[in-house]
């Protein structure tokens, strides 16, 4: 009888563990320039020829606040068996096994391997080229919710990405338990790419970051009560800094203009391309030893108008900067301004 009871307890524990594993997820394939590549199966065989993913041992969250490299690629940062050729500017379509309810942003980073990615194991520098966060105008506002509904997500490479080998780092940040210190959950993975057909221009390594240590457990985009982000209060700043523009090189040398796709917390599509508008703004900044706030008042120049509560500015923002009548473009931080 005691043995039977013990067996029942073990069976119940096993069921809980299986359920907890099933509650997470991962990419199962990549579609790149019309070719489908298998992703890494975390509970598959040790050897998985043909995958472009760096291997990881489980599909649960990485540990960004502990020592080690799991936050880079959710594993030991080992080489993949295959690299996928891709044209600069192409859309990388990722197919997911993802049923978790983990609302939060979806981000894309690139790191130049400076040679074969099979022998590159450094921590970047990682350049954020895409990010989708909270869009109050969308019926499904959080990017993770839209990914979950479609079981897919698109990452659009910058058109002027220099030729070479790169690590593509994709990441979901689950904020469902982020009101607790260290409760945010990070789900990164890395894939090997060989890029060609890019426009001349340097890779902006100097603006990139080292992921290990870049995320702090008290960052406003990491320690946050999910329920406080609403259509009436949509301001949210994802960790890792802003989307970095990719410079082009014209006859006179490198310039700061960018043709990369910039996705912000109010983008409405994972594959949309922002169009810059020329708008005159007046910015007043006040600083103290503990706080910094910026209020931006838009001019009355012609151009698109952002609705009240929509995004109107911030580093990397290329959308409307003129607010609807009765609202003013007010900065929450360096990366996000909102019509209030």
């Amino acid at each position: 009888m005691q043995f039977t009871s013990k067996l029942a307890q073990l069976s119940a524990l096993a069921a809980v563990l299986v359920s907890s594993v099933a509650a997470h997820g991962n990419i199962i394939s990549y579609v790149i320039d019309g070719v489908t590549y298998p992703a890494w199966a975390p509970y598959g065989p040790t050897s998985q020829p043909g995958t472009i993913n760096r291997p990881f041992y489980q599909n649960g969250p990485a540990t960004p606040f502990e020592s080690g490299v799991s936050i880079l690629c959710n594993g030991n940062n080992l080489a993949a068996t295959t690299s996928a050729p891709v044209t600069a500017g192409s859309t990388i379509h990722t197919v997911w096994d993802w049923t978790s309810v983990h609302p939060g942003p979806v981000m894309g980073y690139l790191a130049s391997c400076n040679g074969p990615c099979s022998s590159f194991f450094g921590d970047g520098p990682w350049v954020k080229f895409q990010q989708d966060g909270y869009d109050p105008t969308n019926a499904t506002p959080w990017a993770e919710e839209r990914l979950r509904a479609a079981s897919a997500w698109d990452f659009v490479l910058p058109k002027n990405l220099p030729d070479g080998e790169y690590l593509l780092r994709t990441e979901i940040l689950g904020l469902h338990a982020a009101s607790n210190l260290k409760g945010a959950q990070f789900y990164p993975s890395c894939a090997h790419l060989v890029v060609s057909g890019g426009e001349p221009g340097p890779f902006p390594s100097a603006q990139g970051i080292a992921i290990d240590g870049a995320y702090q457990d008290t960052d406003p985009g990491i320690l946050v009560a999910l329920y406080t982000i609403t259509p009436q209060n949509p301001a949210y700043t994802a960790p890792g800094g802003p989307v970095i523009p990719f410079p082009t090189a014209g006859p006179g040398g490198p310039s700061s203009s960018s043709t990369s796709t910039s996705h912000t917390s109010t983008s409405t599509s994972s594959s949309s391309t922002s169009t810059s508008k020329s708008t005159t703004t007046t910015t007043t900044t006040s600083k103290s030893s503990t706080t910094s706030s910026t209020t931006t008042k838009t001019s009355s120049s012609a151009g698109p108008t952002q609705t009240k509560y929509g995004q109107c500015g911030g580093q990397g923002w290329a959308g409307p900067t003129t607010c609807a009548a009765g609202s003013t473009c007010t900065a929450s931080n360096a990366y996000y301004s909102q019509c209030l």
Side-chain angles (χ1 to χ4, degrees), residues 113-242:
C113 296
N114 297 312
C117 284
S118 58
S119 57
F120 176 79
F121 305 103
D123 184 5
W126 300 92
V127 174
K128 184 188 286 185
F129 71 97
Q130 182 172 318
Q131 113 178 337
D132 293 81
Y134 186 85
D135 177 7
T137 68
N138 198 305
T140 308
W142 281 110
E144 180 276 339
E145 295 176 312
R146 300 195 294 275
L147 181 152
R148 181 179 359 119
S151 295
W153 197 257
D154 289 341
F155 294 91
V156 184
L157 295 180
K159 291 182 179 179
N160 47 345
L161 182 62
D163 293 356
E165 296 200 27
Y166 295 87
L167 290 182
L168 166 67
R169 181 179 182 273
T170 62
E171 182 173 44
I172 294 174
L173 170 53
L175 301 176
H176 52 294
S179 59
N180 301 315
L181 189 67
K182 300 184 180 180
Q185 294 186 1
F186 296 80
Y187 295 86
S189 62
C190 297
H192 288 208
L193 303 178
V194 180
V195 175
S196 63
E199 299 176 10
F203 183 74
S205 297
Q207 296 172 270
I209 62 172
I211 295 290
D212 190 14
Y215 296 161
Q216 301 300 313
D217 54 14
T218 56
D219 285 348
I222 294 176
L223 181 62
V224 57
L226 185 64
Y227 69 87
T228 64
I229 312 299
T230 67
Q232 293 72 39
N233 182 37
Y236 171 77
T237 302

Side-chain angles (χ1 to χ4, degrees), residues 32-320:
I32 302 175
D33 286 350
V35 179
T36 299
Y37 299 87
W40 180 262
Y43 304 104
T46 302
S47 176
Q48 299 181 33
T51 178
I52 65 173
N53 263 135
R54 294 205 156 180
F56 50 98
Y57 67 94
Q58 49 90 29
N59 64 4
T63 54
F65 311 120
E66 300 175 11
S67 60
V69 297
S70 73
I71 186 56
L72 301 186
C73 302
N74 207 10
N76 294 320
N77 202 22
L78 303 175
T81 59
T82 304
S83 296
V86 59
T87 305
S90 291
T91 296
I92 296 180
H93 181 71
T94 57
V95 180
W96 289 75
D97 175 15
W98 184 267
T99 58
S100 301
V101 181
H102 292 351
V106 178
M107 297 170 279
Y109 293 84
L110 289 166
S112 174
C113 296
N114 297 312
C117 284
S118 58
S119 57
F120 176 79
F121 305 103
D123 184 5
W126 300 92
V127 174
K128 184 188 286 185
F129 71 97
Q130 182 172 318
Q131 113 178 337
D132 293 81
Y134 186 85
D135 177 7
T137 68
N138 198 305
T140 308
W142 281 110
E144 180 276 339
E145 295 176 312
R146 300 195 294 275
L147 181 152
R148 181 179 359 119
S151 295
W153 197 257
D154 289 341
F155 294 91
V156 184
L157 295 180
K159 291 182 179 179
N160 47 345
L161 182 62
D163 293 356
E165 296 200 27
Y166 295 87
L167 290 182
L168 166 67
R169 181 179 182 273
T170 62
E171 182 173 44
I172 294 174
L173 170 53
L175 301 176
H176 52 294
S179 59
N180 301 315
L181 189 67
K182 300 184 180 180
Q185 294 186 1
F186 296 80
Y187 295 86
S189 62
C190 297
H192 288 208
L193 303 178
V194 180
V195 175
S196 63
E199 299 176 10
F203 183 74
S205 297
Q207 296 172 270
I209 62 172
I211 295 290
D212 190 14
Y215 296 161
Q216 301 300 313
D217 54 14
T218 56
D219 285 348
I222 294 176
L223 181 62
V224 57
L226 185 64
Y227 69 87
T228 64
I229 312 299
T230 67
Q232 293 72 39
N233 182 37
Y236 171 77
T237 302
V243 170
I244 302 300
F246 276 66
T248 57
S255 69
S256 60
S257 62
S258 172
T259 56
S260 64
T261 302
S262 177
H263 294 240
T264 69
S265 60
T266 57
S267 66
T268 58
S269 170
S270 63
S271 59
S272 62
T273 302
S274 301
T275 303
S276 298
K277 300 293 183 180
S278 177
T279 306
T280 303
T281 61
T282 302
T283 303
T284 303
T285 304
S286 62
K287 296 184 178 179
S288 68
S289 60
T290 58
T291 61
S292 176
S293 61
T294 304
T295 300
T296 303
K297 296 183 178 179
T298 58
S299 72
S300 58
S301 59
T305 300
Q306 181 59 284
T307 59
K308 190 174 182 179
Y309 302 122
Q311 183 174 2
C312 56
Q315 292 184 23
W317 173 248

